[in-house]
Amino acid sequence: MMMDKRTHIRNGRIIDPAQGMDGYGDLIVEDGLIAEVCIKGAETPRKKQSASAANPGGERIIDARGMLVIPGLVDMHTHLREPGFEYKETIKTGTMAGIRGGFTSLCPMPNTNPVNDNPTVAAFVIKKAMAEGYCSVFPIGAITKGQHGQELAEMGLMQEIGCVAYSDDGRPVMNALVMRRALEYTKAFTFPLIAHCEDLSLSDDGVMNEGHISTHLGLKGVPAAAEEVMISRDIMLAKVTGGKLHIAHVSTRGSVELIRRAKSEGISITAETCPHYFSITERAVLGFDTNAKVNPPLRTDDDVAAIKEGLKDGTIDVIATDHAPHHADEKILEFDRAPSGISGLETALALSLTLVTEGVLTINQLLEKMALNPSRILGIERGTLKTAAVADVVIIDVEKEFIVNPDTFASKGKNTPFRGWTLKGVPSVVISKGRIYDNVEWKGANG
Amino acid sequence: MPKDLVSIKDISKEETEALIDTALSFKAVLRRDIKKVPALRGKTVVNLFFEPSTRTKTSFELAEKRLSLDVINFAVSSSSVVKGESLLDTVRTIESYGIDYLVIRHPSSGVPHFIAKQTHASVVNAGDGINEHPTQALLDAVTMKERKGGVKGLEVAIVGDILHSRVARSNVDCLMKLGASVRLVGPPTLIPLNPPAGVKVYYDMDDGIRGADVVMMLRIQLERQGKSFFPSTKEFFKYWGLSAERLVLADKDALVMHPGPMNRGIEIASDVADCPQSVILEQVTNGIAVRMAVIYMLQ
């Protein structure tokens, strides 16, 4: 990490959907802010020179020829595990993983110990992130005290501290009246509620998608209806209350269709999915691989197709990681007992870039879903390269291939079903609040 | 033959038939006055049962002793598992004793698969969660072969709680591999919404067992009551219980099977359980021969 007074990123393809900008040019970072963006037009030919050098005047020059220069990615669904589960992840290691993955803003979910359901815990997270974090951290508070689904948490007071949204992630608010009140209450403020949509009475301790594979493996299934029933309920509640609702980690065709219909009716909702829901299916569980155990569970080819359609037509606004690091000892267990989750920060960008390769999204649309839209939904001033914005900039080498090796993850969580995959797209240089991180020089967690 | 028998799906038709034939020759041994063979003298087996079991455990233990194995029973209630030891550590500890075979029963599906990857010992699945019970499927096939001359072409109706039955899961694959037709019969709540490919599903038991060569009844686990799978055992018996009146719908020489333990009067009428067509006790006898064959044949 280094902080130069002035950094000059030259000759990259600068893309900023917030400004409708896509062209070759220069971007200058000064004092932690974006000082100037200058589009010149055509790409200039690559010259032999060092990629990054400081000149005598104290200005650092980064040659971004052949690279994309984009806004730092914003992950609105992260688990940083601190306080309470530091053996799984810490704010320090989690934000380092974010930088490695091209994310400059992370939004940790409140299911820590203690739960982030009050201003004291929120303040702890924010202070810790200021002191040890490598990138920006915008905490998500709990909707209800202790995530018990009964009494509202102090959402207003937590907002004063810096919480940007509220969710009982992983423990859905089962009581419809409590959810209705929570949605109604948000109307006095600007923040959204993020709903982990799962009817627990239907999922009933199931551990994978209910279907042919669950029959084959003798594992208890979670039907798609467990997600869809709850999305239906929350859409109805958003409609009746006018509260701001964001639906987390959409995984089924039925969910995409429900959200599409609700949006067409003018109901104010947004939705996200995660890379694993468009990259792999329930077949990844074959062999009882606990690294493929995630909630909601991996679904079918048809669901994957529907998720892609939803991303393409704008039904799904956001790609988030649901980065859920766990200790290796917790995943090498009986399938029923292993916790759900995938360590996703360091593979999300490359997996999502395959959507561009496949023609599902343009690179501009992808950046909307990974930077601009989450910033807008959360009301944070990130996800853009506008002049005077916080300098969160990522330089991506889109052609660079790498083999996923969790042993080199910065995250403490090595739990990924993508081990050994060859992916393309490396965030070579990441600038967070003006601080420059060179991921190519970076040598892994112990480096 | 593979190193382990964790899933009936892992062994071919030929291997399945070889196991059945070997079991039948061991059965001849079991009829002798001296029932023990020195086949595996000097080898050690650990029976690792994480779930209460009397029948299967006894059957395995007897089979192991008939093969002259040294037998260790690792009783979970008295082991470190209750002290919080992880499954992996338990397995590594047992492996360090220098054992050759591990027979495992566990309430979670997939555990024998998991353990087989972690140990050099041969792993035999003695029942994992709701997933599989491969030696039960093999002993059922042995029983059918002995009584019917073969499994190929048989119409087999499996009746009851299919959803939670590892016996049914292993039997479906084993029977279809051997060329039988399989019907699954029971209340819709207890049959998977996505049944295995190739089986026929019947909610009406009369239709389901009509003309069948084998009627295999499954145990209704009484703890399923009150969970809305069916309203009462009385109603269950009316629609899916095997009564003498219903049995006449099956082939006149149909075999009545049950993996035990039975709930008389709930899934099977008492007189049917004891009728001449019932081969329930033969299944128990064949279980020992099959378990001898499996342990003997694994590489």
Side-chain angles (χ1 to χ4, degrees):
Chain A
M1 189 268 283
M2 62 204 86
M3 183 111 179
D4 295 286
K5 186 161 165 42
R6 192 174 151 96
T7 304
H8 194 146
I9 302 167
R10 297 175 64 178
N11 298 318
R13 178 178 163 198
I14 302 172
I15 308 176
D16 184 21
Q19 305 179 76
M21 178 184 288
D22 183 356
Y24 295 92
D26 291 2
L27 185 147
I28 294 166
V29 171
E30 195 165 14
D31 296 328
L33 301 176
I34 298 198
E36 199 183 332
V37 186
C38 164
I39 299 293
K40 294 169 181 167
E43 189 178 14
T44 48
R46 192 187 255 284
K47 274 185 263 170
K48 289 256 188 257
Q49 67 178 72
S50 67
S52 174
N55 72 13
E59 184 186 73
R60 183 169 197 83
I61 294 173
I62 299 175
D63 182 22
R65 237 173 287 240
M67 310 265 194
L68 301 184
V69 179
I70 63 160
L73 305 179
V74 178
D75 185 21
M76 67 183 291
H77 196 141
T78 320
H79 296 273
L80 293 180
R81 305 300 190 200
E82 195 174 357
F85 303 101
E86 290 83 358
Y87 69 97
K88 294 176 192 263
E89 191 81 288
T90 61
I91 288 169
K92 185 174 178 177
T93 57
T95 52
M96 197 191 291
I99 292 291
R100 289 281 287 160
F103 291 90
T104 52
S105 300
L106 302 180
C107 305
M109 283 291 176
N111 58 340
T112 47
N113 184 19
V115 170
N116 184 10
D117 64 354
N118 64 74
T120 310
V121 177
F124 168 84
V125 171
I126 284 168
K127 275 183 192 154
K128 193 95 183 184
M130 295 289 276
E132 297 178 7
Y134 289 83
C135 68
S136 300
V137 171
F138 299 96
I140 294 169
I143 298 172
T144 64
K145 286 176 189 154
Q147 293 183 298
H148 294 312
Q150 288 161 357
E151 298 171 65
L152 294 187
E154 292 169 335
M155 293 189 273
L157 296 180
M158 282 190 275
Q159 180 192 234
E160 302 288 333
I161 306 288
C163 287
V164 293
Y166 297 88
S167 179
D168 279 3
D169 186 49
R171 301 191 50 183
V173 180
M174 283 296 288
N175 184 316
L177 181 60
V178 173
M179 191 63 179
R180 179 221 162 126
R181 296 250 162 85
L183 276 165
E184 259 176 333
Y185 190 71
T186 63
K187 293 201 298 182
F189 303 90
T190 54
F191 50 74
L193 297 189
I194 301 174
H196 166 114
C197 290
E198 175 187 358
D199 186 319
L200 294 174
S201 60
L202 274 175
S203 52
D204 192 28
D205 300 325
V207 293
M208 71 169 295
N209 184 48
E210 180 177 336
H212 289 288
I213 307 275
S214 68
T215 302
H216 176 82
L217 291 175
L219 288 173
K220 192 165 178 182
V222 179
E227 177 173 320
E228 292 155 6
V229 162
M230 204 58 146
I231 289 182
S232 307
R233 183 200 79 174
D234 285 352
I235 286 172
M236 290 306 116
L237 293 175
K239 183 178 176 180
V240 77
T241 60
K244 205 171 161 191
L245 175 69
H246 176 80
I247 295 167
H249 42 53
V250 170
S251 75
T252 76
R253 173 175 288 280
S255 301
V256 174
E257 287 169 358
L258 286 163
I259 294 161
R260 185 180 289 132
R261 197 181 73 189
K263 284 186 165 187
S264 76
E265 288 172 8
I267 302 168
S268 164
I269 56 167
T270 52
E272 82 195 17
T273 191
C274 311
H276 38 275
Y277 299 120
F278 57 73
S279 303
I280 46 176
T281 68
E282 58 181 352
R283 285 192 301 278
V285 180
L286 287 171
F288 299 94
D289 183 1
T290 56
N291 285 324
K293 184 177 176 185
V294 61
N295 186 17
L298 300 172
R299 307 285 188 180
T300 66
D301 288 318
D302 182 58
D303 294 302
V304 167
I307 296 292
K308 289 181 181 175
E309 288 159 23
L311 284 164
K312 193 178 175 78
D313 71 9
T315 301
I316 299 175
D317 308 89
V318 170
I319 296 172
T321 67
D322 196 3
H323 176 74
H326 291 292
H327 193 278
D329 288 348
E330 296 172 297
K331 279 287 193 179
I332 190 152
L333 278 183
E334 297 90 321
F335 197 91
D336 291 341
R337 286 185 61 202
S340 295
I342 290 172
S343 179
L345 281 170
E346 288 162 84
T347 50
L349 173 62
L351 288 167
S352 301
L353 279 167
T354 61
L355 296 172
V356 178
T357 318
E358 291 173 17
V360 176
L361 297 177
T362 64
I363 184 74
N364 284 268
Q365 288 169 328
L366 182 69
L367 297 178
E368 284 176 16
K369 292 183 199 295
M370 297 187 81
L372 181 60
N373 292 348
S375 303
R376 283 184 174 162
I377 291 164
L378 299 172
I380 59 176
E381 293 184 344
R382 297 297 162 108
T384 176
L385 300 174
K386 277 181 189 153
T387 306
V390 171
D392 285 356
V393 186
V394 177
I395 302 175
I396 306 181
D397 188 342
V398 282
E399 295 303 321
K400 191 180 172 78
E401 282 193 348
F402 67 101
I403 294 170
V404 177
N405 177 7
D407 303 337
T408 67
F409 279 3
S411 170
K412 287 189 180 184
K414 314 301 181 191
N415 46 306
T416 174
F418 300 107
R419 179 190 283 271
W421 280 40
T422 300
L423 296 173
K424 223 158 93 168
V426 172
S428 305
V429 177
V430 177
I431 302 176
S432 174
K433 292 181 279 188
R435 285 182 296 182
I436 305 170
Y437 301 92
D438 187 335
N439 279 335
V440 176
E441 294 292 311
W442 196 85
K443 297 283 191 289
N446 303 315
Chain B
M1 204 61 63
K3 162 181 159 285
D4 312 297
L5 180 63
V6 295
S7 165
I8 200 83
K9 298 174 189 116
D10 293 342
I11 55 171
S12 67
K13 177 172 182 260
E14 291 68 31
E15 288 168 332
T16 309
E17 284 167 344
L19 281 169
I20 292 168
D21 292 340
T22 308
L24 288 168
S25 48
F26 276 124
K27 201 174 172 187
V29 172
L30 294 174
R31 287 193 208 97
R32 292 184 202 150
D33 187 33
I34 305 293
K35 298 179 174 63
K36 200 162 176 139
V37 291
L40 296 176
R41 186 158 35 188
K43 302 249 180 189
T44 307
V45 59
V46 170
N47 295 320
L48 183 56
F49 277 60
F50 292 88
E51 208 178 57
S53 162
T54 308
R55 292 143 186 280
T56 304
K57 193 173 170 187
T58 306
S59 178
F60 266 105
E61 196 171 340
L62 203 49
E64 291 152 0
K65 288 181 170 165
R66 297 281 187 248
L67 289 168
S68 307
L69 280 156
D70 293 326
V71 180
I72 308 292
N73 287 310
F74 198 92
V76 168
S77 56
S78 61
S79 82
S80 302
V81 174
V82 290
K83 299 174 191 161
E85 186 177 59
S86 82
L87 179 61
L88 188 59
D89 285 335
T90 304
V91 170
R92 284 180 177 157
T93 302
I94 291 172
E95 167 144 61
S96 303
Y97 298 152
I99 56 150
D100 305 288
Y101 301 93
L102 248 180
V103 176
I104 296 162
R105 167 165 288 193
H106 198 285
S108 287
S109 300
V111 162
H113 304 66
F114 169 82
I115 290 175
K117 286 181 203 155
Q118 306 291 343
T119 174
H120 298 294
S122 280
V123 172
V124 180
N125 183 354
D128 64 320
I130 59 169
N131 183 30
E132 283 224 47
H133 195 353
T135 57
Q136 178 73 40
L138 289 168
L139 74 87
D140 289 338
V142 165
T143 309
M144 289 180 215
K145 179 162 184 183
E146 251 193 336
R147 282 303 199 111
K148 292 285 183 184
V151 176
K152 191 166 192 248
L154 292 180
E155 285 282 338
V156 182
I158 307 177
V159 185
D161 182 356
I162 310 291
L163 186 65
H164 302 102
S165 175
R166 52 194 175 209
V167 174
R169 263 188 187 77
S170 284
N171 255 300
V172 166
D173 188 84
C174 184
L175 290 168
M176 301 225 296
K177 197 149 46 193
L178 297 173
S181 298
V182 179
R183 311 172 184 178
L184 301 180
V185 185
T189 45
L190 291 175
I191 292 183
L193 208 50
N194 301 277
V199 302
K200 278 184 247 160
V201 172
Y202 294 83
Y203 302 140
D204 183 316
M205 185 162 173
D206 291 355
D207 291 344
I209 67 167
R210 190 166 283 124
D213 300 300
V214 177
V215 181
M216 185 186 293
M217 301 305 297
L218 299 175
R219 172 182 168 75
I220 284 297
Q221 287 169 290
L222 297 178
E223 58 269 29
R224 305 275 176 230
Q225 281 189 105
K227 300 268 177 73
S228 294
F229 287 105
F230 52 88
S232 67
T233 51
K234 186 179 173 189
E235 181 160 326
F236 184 90
F237 184 74
K238 175 169 169 54
Y239 293 105
W240 296 283
L242 188 61
S243 60
E245 303 80 67
R246 197 165 255 150
L247 181 58
V248 299
L249 296 170
D251 184 82
K252 66 176 173 44
D253 298 319
L255 303 180
V256 172
M257 301 178 76
H258 194 299
M262 285 184 282
N263 297 300
R264 289 174 184 258
I266 294 176
E267 71 262 359
I268 187 165
S270 203
D271 53 345
V272 174
D274 301 326
C275 78
Q277 284 167 264
S278 166
V279 292
I280 294 168
L281 294 175
E282 280 173 49
Q283 288 174 269
V284 176
T285 308
N286 291 338
I288 299 162
V290 157
R291 285 156 187 144
M292 288 174 76
V294 167
I295 294 171
Y296 177 74
M297 298 273 283
L298 289 179
Q299 301 289 313

